[in-house]
Amino acid sequence: MYYYIGPNNQQQGPVPAEQLLSRGVTGETMVWKAGMAQWQKAKDVPELSRYFGSSSFSSGNPYDDQSTQFSTPPNYGNNGNYGNNGGYGNYGNYGNYGNYGPQYAGQFGGNQPMGPKPDSYLVWAILTTLFCCLPFGIVSIVYASKVDSAWRMGSQMEAEENSRKAKNWALASALTSLGIAIIYIIAIVAFGVSFGAFN
């Protein structure tokens, strides 16, 4: 499972290697997985060569340095500096002893996403399931339940997408129920008018 640096230097993932291309990862995108000593360009990781090809420049085997292997992603900064002594490493401006200490470490490393957690719309999903269109409401609940898990895994984009779908399906459920109610009322009125005409 790989982490990668997405738009605006946001850490995304983890995702399987075969899904990296569908997430917009290119050979120049910085990636990392458990056991690697530092962030690497995707094209320089031997395991990903079949997806991105090989580069004329290689920074070496990312698994060679056993003394600096990590089980969670090392810090990665806006200017591409990484590792123990890079601009955003352990002693850089945003490192363990820099201007922004450990209390802000989750913003630049670890599994937490960069932005705030999106609304799951779970309450609306449940209400529309109970009182509106049941099938659409159930779909809304499914997507709403995925928001928190995606956000905790550090996938901000996936969490936002699930939030959007949960909202849209809840809205579709409510509108469908409203449309059915309007059609029902029109049918009752038409029936009443027709019945009165025969009397």
Side-chain angles (χ1 to χ4, degrees):
M1 301 290 281
Y2 282 86
Y3 294 85
Y4 62 96
I5 302 301
N8 300 320
N9 283 337
Q10 292 185 354
Q11 179 183 301
Q12 305 290 341
V15 297
E18 58 270 17
Q19 293 185 13
L20 289 173
L21 286 173
S22 64
R23 297 297 186 95
V25 174
T26 69
E28 297 297 321
T29 303
M30 304 301 294
V31 299
W32 180 91
K33 69 174 294 185
M36 292 176 57
Q38 61 185 14
W39 291 89
Q40 292 274 324
K41 290 182 178 180
K43 65 181 181 181
D44 293 333
V45 178
E47 186 178 68
L48 302 180
S49 60
R50 58 175 173 168
Y51 301 108
F52 304 102
S54 59
S55 172
S56 58
F57 170 79
S58 175
S59 56
N61 189 333
Y63 303 95
D64 280 346
D65 189 352
Q66 299 295 324
S67 65
T68 57
Q69 287 187 1
F70 297 90
S71 58
T72 57
N75 296 327
Y76 182 87
N78 295 333
N79 296 321
N81 297 321
Y82 49 84
N84 294 337
N85 297 304
Y88 292 85
N90 291 340
Y91 300 96
N93 292 336
Y94 293 88
N96 293 339
Y97 302 98
N99 295 336
Y100 296 88
Q103 64 269 33
Y104 296 100
Q107 298 179 17
F108 301 93
N111 296 334
Q112 289 299 316
M114 297 291 287
K117 183 177 73 172
D119 192 339
S120 67
Y121 296 100
L122 182 60
V123 174
W124 288 106
I126 293 174
L127 291 177
T128 53
T129 300
L130 293 176
F131 301 108
C132 300
C133 179
L134 178 64
F136 290 174
I138 291 176
V139 176
S140 180
I141 290 177
V142 171
Y143 282 114
S145 65
K146 294 180 179 180
V147 174
D148 286 353
S149 59
W151 188 81
R152 285 195 298 268
M153 290 177 63
S155 183
Q156 182 78 20
M157 294 176 63
E158 183 178 352
E160 291 175 352
E161 179 68 10
N162 288 330
S163 174
R164 182 184 64 80
K165 289 181 178 179
K167 177 183 178 181
N168 289 344
W169 280 105
L171 184 60
S173 177
L175 293 178
T176 300
S177 180
L178 179 62
I180 293 175
I182 292 175
I183 294 174
Y184 179 78
I185 293 173
I186 292 175
I188 293 296
V189 172
F191 177 79
V193 172
S194 300
F195 182 78
F198 284 106
N199 291 329

